[in-house]
Amino acid sequence: MRQLKWVFVCLLVLFVVSFVFQMGCTAQVMGKTGFDVKLSVTGMTRVTSMFSIMRSLKKSDALAIDDAVYKVTRLKAPLNGWHLDPDETQRFTVEVWALRGSDPAQGANEAISERVKAALIETVEDLGFQASVESIEQRKVEHKFIIN
């Protein structure tokens, strides 16, 4: 019985490591414009749905807006247990940055904020869930360096 426990622990560690490296570990320099977004999602019935939302938001081509391409560089998800209440709202914290070289010339503005909101909501709703943006804040830096 004890050996079976260690086999299970080893398999769990291998799964976690493969999940982390599946997301990628390459360094990337992002552009100058970014957003902090609080994203609310309802209708999730299992934890795997949360991971499918995270994977979908990590796709860099999902947030192509005008000539700029935005990418989710950091995403915090609520892990409140294996039994998710489908009526309970799950709140994600999402950091979105423009890819280097595809920053909008005029920088972040209200119109771009609205398009980023719409793109995030559309990505989540394409998976079959309800989504809304609670808040979005513009951020500006010279360039952001991330490990993805």
Side-chain angles (χ1 to χ4, degrees):
M1 189 66 154
R2 182 171 262 190
Q3 291 174 339
L4 186 60
K5 178 182 169 185
W6 284 109
V7 167
F8 178 72
V9 168
C10 289
L11 288 174
L12 185 62
V13 168
L14 287 173
F15 172 75
V16 170
V17 168
S18 68
F19 181 76
V20 168
F21 282 105
Q22 180 184 5
M23 293 300 204
C25 289
T26 57
Q28 205 171 11
V29 178
M30 305 306 286
K32 297 179 183 179
T33 57
F35 301 91
D36 286 329
V37 184
K38 288 201 189 314
L39 182 69
S40 296
V41 179
T42 56
M44 292 194 294
T45 56
R46 59 193 192 279
V47 171
T48 53
S49 297
M50 187 176 302
F51 292 123
S52 67
I53 287 171
M54 291 172 70
R55 279 193 303 270
S56 292
L57 289 174
K58 283 284 194 177
K59 291 181 181 176
S60 62
D61 62 347
L63 302 174
I65 299 163
D66 298 335
D67 293 332
V69 177
Y70 292 86
K71 180 173 182 161
V72 174
T73 59
R74 188 171 57 94
L75 190 146
K76 287 186 187 175
L79 286 175
N80 58 353
W82 291 98
H83 303 288
L84 296 177
D85 180 1
D87 298 323
E88 181 183 350
T89 301
Q90 305 295 314
R91 289 176 177 81
F92 293 83
T93 304
V94 181
E95 189 175 273
V96 180
W97 285 92
L99 294 181
R100 186 177 186 183
S102 74
D103 277 311
Q106 74 278 14
N109 58 36
E110 200 59 40
I112 292 174
S113 296
E114 290 301 316
R115 289 184 182 129
V116 168
K117 277 197 237 182
L120 287 169
I121 290 170
E122 182 181 344
T123 302
V124 173
E125 290 183 348
D126 283 348
L127 296 169
F129 303 101
Q130 294 294 316
S132 64
V133 172
E134 291 183 3
S135 68
I136 183 167
E137 295 178 22
Q138 299 173 10
R139 295 179 68 189
K140 290 187 179 184
V141 296
E142 280 306 307
H143 285 289
K144 181 166 178 71
F145 182 74
I146 63 158
I147 303 292
N148 185 20

